[in-house]
Amino acid sequence: MDFSSMASQAGGSNPKMPTEKFMYHFKSQMEQAYAQKFIETLGRKCFDKCVTKPGSSLGGSESSCVSRCVDRYIEATGIVGRALFKANQ
Amino acid sequence: MDPSSLNTAELQHFLNQEKERAMMNEMVAKLTSVCWDKCITSTPGSKFSSGESACLSNCAQRYLDLTLIIMKRFQSMQ
C-alpha cells in the first residue's frame, strides 16, 4: 500500500489543507477501501458456499444461505480478530 | 497537496498509526479467509457450532505459533 500517494491524493489540489481535514479524508478513504475489500471477500466466500450449481435465478434457500453466510463470516472475523488481539497482549 | 508538508511530527505519527492499523486489518482479513476455509466445511448455519468457533479461534492461534517456529528456524539458518 503506497501511503504517500494516498496521502497526496487525500490532500487534493489544496497545498495548505489543514492537517485535521487531511486526516479526516485519509481515514475515510482507508475505511472505504477496507469496506470494499471486505464486501468482495464476502461475495467470493458466500458464492462458493451457497451457490453450488448456478441456476437461472437465486433460489430461496440460496438467498437465505447467503444471509447466514454474511452473518457468520462477520462473526468469524470477530473471533479471529480477538484471538490475535489476545495473543498480542 | 504538497508532499513536503507531510513531514510534520503530527502527520508522521498519524500516518504510522494508520499504517499499523492497515497492517493489522490485513492480517485479520487473511487469517479469517484461511481459517474460514479450514473450519467452516458445511453450509453456513444460523450460528456456529461450538466445534466451528473453537476451530476458528484455534486456527488463528496455531497460525501465530507456526509463524514463530518459521522465524526461529529461519534465524538458525543465518
Side-chain angles (χ1 to χ4, degrees):
Chain A
M1 177 166 286
D2 180 5
F3 262 54
S4 45
S5 71
M6 266 191 90
S8 302
Q9 267 186 352
S13 54
N14 181 352
K16 288 225 186 317
M17 176 181 275
T19 302
E20 230 173 76
K21 195 171 174 202
F22 163 77
M23 296 198 299
Y24 175 81
H25 279 131
F26 188 87
K27 262 183 176 282
S28 70
Q29 267 189 288
M30 292 293 286
E31 281 159 22
Q32 264 176 41
Y34 177 83
Q36 190 174 325
K37 188 167 181 211
F38 192 73
I39 286 170
E40 273 173 36
T41 303
L42 280 175
R44 264 192 343 265
K45 297 296 186 187
C46 297
F47 193 79
D48 281 349
K49 285 267 185 256
C50 297
V51 185
T52 41
K53 286 200 86 167
S56 49
S57 69
L58 270 183
S61 64
E62 286 169 325
S63 303
S64 43
C65 176
V66 170
S67 292
R68 293 192 310 265
C69 174
V70 170
D71 291 349
R72 295 292 74 69
Y73 198 85
I74 290 171
E75 199 181 335
T77 303
I79 292 173
V80 169
R82 279 191 296 279
L84 286 184
F85 182 69
K86 256 191 182 177
N88 257 0
Q89 307 262 274
Chain B
M1 182 179 188
D2 174 17
S4 66
S5 60
L6 295 175
N7 283 337
T8 67
E10 184 189 9
L11 273 174
Q12 280 309 309
H13 177 71
F14 168 76
L15 287 176
N16 284 335
Q17 271 190 324
E18 285 299 298
K19 195 184 262 186
E20 180 92 27
R21 194 193 315 271
M23 279 164 62
M24 268 307 276
N25 282 344
E26 179 77 15
M27 177 93 191
V28 172
K30 278 219 168 95
L31 256 186
T32 305
S33 174
V34 165
C35 295
W36 172 272
D37 289 345
K38 273 202 194 295
C39 296
I40 313 304
T41 45
S42 57
T43 311
S46 29
K47 58 180 183 137
F48 283 139
S49 68
S50 55
E52 283 170 326
S53 42
C55 180
L56 285 168
S57 176
N58 288 337
C59 173
Q61 291 174 71
R62 296 300 75 73
Y63 189 86
L64 289 179
D65 293 344
L66 178 143
T67 306
L68 207 61
I69 292 175
I70 290 175
M71 283 191 333
K72 283 187 182 159
R73 182 135 192 95
F74 204 72
Q75 271 173 353
S76 73
M77 289 185 205
Q78 304 288 305

